[in-house]
């Protein structure tokens, strides 16, 4: 009987797909028998596959660790640059705060509504306000304005 | 409940611990089945020039589960089943990508067809396949000639494979050949064994 027929790649893929389905439907024992009858080392195949599974877990964990390190590095950099933007001493922070208000009248009026007398703000209030203003980008904006006026 | 099923309350996304426990509970035959399936998918990818080993696909399947790209409902499918699903999906994505971009084969992998006078597959059909570039066509031509040669002494197996290639179902092939299901399954098993024995590392390594 002539069985030679020309397959396209797609047809060959379909043949392999049918074989995949038969592997999926077979019991593990049956596939192990296939492997043994073809002279392959089932122990070695099992060990390779287990190693690949564990390598997948390890790769995921390393990636997760890498991401955690990356996030830590980024947040440390953010904190560091925030520290650099907020003045280091109490007096300098107070003057930085009022410079900011001068440059941002809308913020000043909002704060006046809240506190009435801005000169009564404590050092702690000023530091927190600066941190909030920094988070809003106001300190960075002020720095840019100062740079523009200097140049 | 099967021993390889995780105890997660959500039963949707598996944790590292659950995956490690599930791996520890697998038997040798489970690993072998997973290997056979992954290898088969790697062989199919080889037809499109995608060089991916069965182990690569297995490793990727675990990552897909842990990265929550694949969900696992242990009530519906066991650990080997969910991994096979992930492998199938990855292989299908790789195939689509290869089809979309074409692929590059190193010159060392390009093998001239044998000229020993044996009947071989027509390269004309392959060269005119719109999904293949000339390099792919040469590779595919050689691969298919190898498959054909592997079943030279088993015409029944070739008839079944031809049925599959024409998208015939098992039942249709059984009816066409006038055999019973047991005989059909015996032939299918012979095909599986021959493919596994002939290309232990995957069909893309055929020379």
């Amino acid at each position: 009987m002539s069985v030679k027929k020309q397959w396209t790649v797609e047809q060959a893929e379909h043949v392999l797909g049918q074989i995949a389905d038969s592997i999926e439907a077979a019991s593990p024992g049956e596939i192990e028998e296939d492997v043994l009858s073809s002279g392959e080392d089932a122990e070695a195949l099992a060990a390779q596959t287990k190693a690949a599974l564990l390598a997948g877990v390890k790769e995921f964990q390393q990636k997760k660790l890498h991401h955690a390190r990356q996030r830590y590095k980024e947040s440390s950099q953010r904190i560091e640059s925030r520290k650099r933007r907020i003045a280091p001493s109490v007096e300098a922070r107070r003057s930085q705060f009022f410079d900011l208000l001068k440059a941002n009248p809308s913020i000043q009026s909002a704060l006046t509504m809240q506190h009435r007398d801005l000169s009564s703000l404590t050092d702690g209030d000023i530091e927190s306000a600066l941190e909030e203003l920094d988070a809003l980008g106001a300190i960075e904006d002020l720095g840019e304005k100062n740079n523009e006026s200097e140049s | 409940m099967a021993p390889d099923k995780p105890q997660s309350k959500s039963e949707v996304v598996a944790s590292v611990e659950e995956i490690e426990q599930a791996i520890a509970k697998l038997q040798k035959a489970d690993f072998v089945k997973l290997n056979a399936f992954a290898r088969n998918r790697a062989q199919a990818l080889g037809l499109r020039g995608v060089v991916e080993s069965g182990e690569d696909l297995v490793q990727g399947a675990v990552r897909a589960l842990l990265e929550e790209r694949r969900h696992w409902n242990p009530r519906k499918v066991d650990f080997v089943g969910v991994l096979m699903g992930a492998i199938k999906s990855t292989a299908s994505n790789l195939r689509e990508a290869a089809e979309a971009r074409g692929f590059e084969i190193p010159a060392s992998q390009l093998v001239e067809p044998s000229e020993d006078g044996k009947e071989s597959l027509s390269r004309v059909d392959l060269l005119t396949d719109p999904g293949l570039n000339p390099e792919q066509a040469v590779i595919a031509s050689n691969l298919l000639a190898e498959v054909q040669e592997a079943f030279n002494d088993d015409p029944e197996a070739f008839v079944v494979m031809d049925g599959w290639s024409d998208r015939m179902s098992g039942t249709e092939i059984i009816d066409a050949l006038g055999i019973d299901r047991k005989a059909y399954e015996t032939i299918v098993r012979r095909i599986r064994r021959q493919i596994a024995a002939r290309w232990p590392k995957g069909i893309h390594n055929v020379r």
Side-chain angles (χ1 to χ4, degrees):
Chain A
M1 155 169 52
S2 172
V3 294
K4 305 276 171 66
K5 184 182 166 185
Q6 293 161 2
W7 289 341
T8 63
V9 168
E10 241 170 47
Q11 285 175 315
E13 282 176 330
H14 200 69
V15 169
L16 284 173
Q18 289 288 329
I19 295 170
D21 289 348
S22 90
I23 294 170
E24 206 173 351
S27 71
E30 213 176 315
I31 301 298
E32 190 180 6
E33 274 175 38
D34 285 0
V35 164
L36 292 172
S37 74
S38 67
E40 279 197 271
D41 184 347
E43 290 281 350
L45 280 184
Q48 280 169 19
T49 311
K50 187 174 184 179
L53 288 168
L54 294 174
V57 175
K58 195 173 172 187
E59 197 183 349
F60 169 77
Q61 285 174 316
Q62 281 173 342
K63 209 168 154 187
K64 213 172 147 187
L65 195 64
H66 174 76
H67 283 153
R69 282 193 187 130
Q70 193 70 27
R71 277 198 303 273
Y72 174 73
K73 200 176 155 190
E74 282 166 7
S75 76
S76 304
Q77 282 169 346
R78 259 201 313 275
I79 291 166
E80 270 306 305
S81 55
R82 185 174 292 183
K83 273 185 194 165
R84 279 198 301 273
R85 282 195 299 268
I86 297 176
S89 70
V90 170
E91 295 76 26
R93 276 199 292 274
R94 192 167 281 272
S95 119
Q96 185 181 26
F97 175 69
F98 286 105
D99 284 349
L100 267 173
L101 295 190
K102 224 183 280 174
N104 297 280
S106 58
I107 296 175
Q108 179 164 16
S109 59
L111 281 171
T112 313
M113 292 276 282
Q114 270 184 313
H115 299 280
R116 302 276 175 206
D117 182 9
L118 292 178
S119 59
S120 69
L121 288 172
T122 66
D123 295 339
D125 290 337
I126 287 182
E127 191 171 353
S128 316
L130 281 173
E131 277 169 5
E132 281 170 32
L133 290 169
D134 182 44
L136 294 170
I139 298 182
E140 220 162 13
D141 292 347
L142 179 68
E144 280 167 18
K145 276 180 197 165
N146 289 344
N147 288 342
E148 278 166 21
S149 60
E150 278 167 22
S151 60
Chain B
M1 181 183 269
D4 60 350
K5 290 179 179 175
Q7 303 305 309
S8 131
K9 277 182 188 168
S10 71
E11 292 185 335
V12 174
V13 175
S15 68
V16 167
E17 291 72 29
E18 286 169 335
I19 294 286
E20 281 175 339
Q21 280 170 18
I23 294 171
K25 284 174 185 167
L26 291 180
Q27 303 294 308
K28 184 175 74 178
D30 296 318
F31 289 120
V32 170
K33 177 174 174 174
L34 196 55
N35 181 287
F37 185 82
R39 187 192 289 185
N40 169 286
R41 293 298 76 205
Q43 287 167 343
L45 285 172
L47 291 170
R48 293 276 168 190
V50 180
V51 182
E52 190 85 358
S53 71
E55 280 80 19
D56 290 338
L57 291 175
V58 168
Q59 190 170 331
V62 174
R63 267 203 329 270
L65 262 183
L66 289 169
E67 287 169 1
E68 302 178 20
R69 283 182 283 125
R70 292 287 300 186
H71 288 178
W72 178 15
N73 184 343
R75 285 185 184 149
K76 288 187 182 162
V77 61
D78 65 14
F79 187 50
V80 172
V82 76
L83 288 172
M84 287 195 296
I87 288 169
K88 209 185 283 184
S89 155
T90 303
S92 165
N93 292 339
L94 287 170
R95 182 199 176 279
E96 277 174 27
E99 205 176 14
R101 70 166 183 267
F103 67 91
E104 290 175 15
I105 294 290
S108 60
Q109 285 190 27
L110 294 173
V111 186
E112 286 302 310
S114 70
E115 293 177 4
D116 57 5
K118 280 185 184 172
E119 188 180 351
S120 63
L121 295 169
S122 164
R123 296 176 71 193
V124 175
D125 285 353
L126 294 164
L127 288 165
T128 54
D129 187 326
L132 300 178
N133 65 34
E135 287 86 356
Q136 285 174 303
V138 171
I139 299 284
S141 164
N142 287 305
L143 296 178
L144 299 184
E146 283 277 336
V147 172
Q148 187 180 48
E149 194 192 316
F151 291 95
N152 261 346
D153 301 328
D154 194 346
E156 281 181 332
F158 217 95
V159 168
V160 168
M161 289 197 294
D162 265 352
W164 287 342
S165 75
D166 288 338
R167 298 180 178 260
M168 285 170 77
S169 68
T171 309
E172 285 169 332
I173 294 171
I174 288 167
D175 289 346
L177 295 181
I179 56 175
D180 60 22
R181 183 154 288 276
K182 200 175 169 194
Y184 170 76
E185 281 168 4
T186 304
I187 298 169
V188 172
R189 177 178 271 213
R190 274 208 311 274
I191 294 169
R192 268 199 332 247
R193 288 182 179 181
Q194 176 70 340
I195 297 268
R198 185 92 179 200
W199 296 285
K201 297 289 180 192
I203 243 170
H204 56 270
N205 288 332
V206 168
R207 288 287 183 272

